[in-house]
């Protein structure tokens, strides 16, 4: 099983990265092949809305930025774990550019996303109420959901401003989440 973890935080000491890596490590211990990619540090531009990707079933996105290399890689993975901090009540701008570019998986004859793929979200936030931003998780996995992936129940981690603030209990929860992804 291949699991790819994607982070939408560009912060140098990112809590999101730390939690995703903990989840991936736990999944690896369960036998999964894992990979971490920081999408916030890649060159992924917003969707141009040109609908070039709807021309025929083999044409993807006309933009030749770092997303071009991700379409095949993500399609080969069984599980995609997406993480984003909450920025003003929603996912980061970098995460949103990535989600919008998922539109290219939707060809004129239907989704080109491999069947049976699972997607899951980790949301980090400063606010301690972890029930406050369900919309951020929905938006983070919306692209995969629209392309036919099975979206698992998200995990929220509150009271965070950087990686040093991640508590042992939160790390344990991220690890349990990672183990669940292998089931
Ligand atoms: C621009 C910006 C906007 C933010 N907006 C919110 C917010 O609306 N609600 C919240 O709870 N936290 C907010 N935060 C805090 C982050 O969500 C939180 O610190 C998160 O854990 C950062 O993740 P990172 O360490 O991976 O970058 C904001 C932080 C930044 C930099």
């Amino acid at each position: 099983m291949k699991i790819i973890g994607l982070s939408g935080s560009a912060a140098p000491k990112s809590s999101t990265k730390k939690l995703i890596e903990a989840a991936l490590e736990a999944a690896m211990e369960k036998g999964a092949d894992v990979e971490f990619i920081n999408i916030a540090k890649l060159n992924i531009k917003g969707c141009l809305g040109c609908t070039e990707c709807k021309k025929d079933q083999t044409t993807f996105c006309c933009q030749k930025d770092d997303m071009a290399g991700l379409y095949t890689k993500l399609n080969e993975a069984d599980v995609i774990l997406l993480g984003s901090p909450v920025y003003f009540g929603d996912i980061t701008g970098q995460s949103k550019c990535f989600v919008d570019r998922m539109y290219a998986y939707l060809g004129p004859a239907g989704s080109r996303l491999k069947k049976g793929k699972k997607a899951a979200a980790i949301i980090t936030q400063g606010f301690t109420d972890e029930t406050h931003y369900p919309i951020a998780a929905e938006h983070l996995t919306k692209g995969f959901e629209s392309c036919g992936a099975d979206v698992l129940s998200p995990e929220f981690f509150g009271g965070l401003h950087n990686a040093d603030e991640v508590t042992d209990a939160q790390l344990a929860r991220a690890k349990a989440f990672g183990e669940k992804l292998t089931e």
Side-chain angles (χ1 to χ4, degrees):
M1 170 184 278
K2 171 87 189 227
I3 303 180
I4 298 182
L6 305 173
S7 172
S9 170
K13 279 177 77 177
S14 166
S15 54
T16 311
K17 177 174 188 278
K18 186 169 182 173
L19 289 160
I20 292 175
E21 285 183 336
L24 291 179
E25 195 185 307
M28 192 170 69
E29 280 162 15
K30 287 275 173 190
D33 177 16
V34 303
E35 182 175 351
F36 175 80
I37 300 172
N38 192 336
I39 53 169
K41 296 204 171 158
L42 296 181
N43 174 28
I44 298 177
K45 296 191 168 64
C47 174
L48 296 174
C50 67
T51 65
E52 178 79 3
C53 56
K54 310 291 173 272
K55 197 168 77 178
D56 57 56
Q57 201 60 10
T58 55
T59 306
F60 271 67
C61 188
C62 67
Q63 297 194 72
K64 300 303 170 224
D65 59 8
D66 290 337
M67 192 67 194
L70 286 184
Y71 287 116
T72 305
K73 186 185 261 283
L74 297 179
N75 224 352
E76 283 164 359
D78 302 290
V79 183
I80 309 295
L81 173 59
L82 299 123
S84 177
V86 172
Y87 276 9
F88 292 111
D90 213 319
I91 57 176
T92 63
Q94 295 95 329
S95 300
K96 181 69 168 117
C97 282
F98 169 83
V99 172
D100 288 352
R101 295 286 294 283
M102 296 280 305
Y103 196 55
Y105 278 114
L106 297 170
S111 177
R112 296 177 274 210
L113 196 71
K114 198 172 79 175
K115 297 242 176 314
K117 193 178 302 294
K118 289 184 195 167
I122 277 181
I123 298 294
T124 58
Q125 55 185 73
F127 194 27
T128 52
D129 180 355
E130 293 173 345
T131 66
H132 202 70
Y133 298 113
I135 196 76
E138 280 174 41
H139 288 172
L140 194 56
T141 47
K142 192 71 190 165
F144 281 101
E145 186 196 341
S146 300
C147 295
D150 294 333
V151 176
L152 309 177
S153 181
E155 279 287 334
F156 298 86
F157 297 90
L160 295 173
H161 301 92
N162 59 60
D164 293 340
E165 294 181 358
V166 175
T167 65
D168 289 346
Q170 287 175 326
L171 267 186
R173 196 146 53 84
K175 286 181 182 171
F177 194 56
E179 283 182 13
K180 223 166 57 186
L181 299 180
T182 65
E183 288 168 6

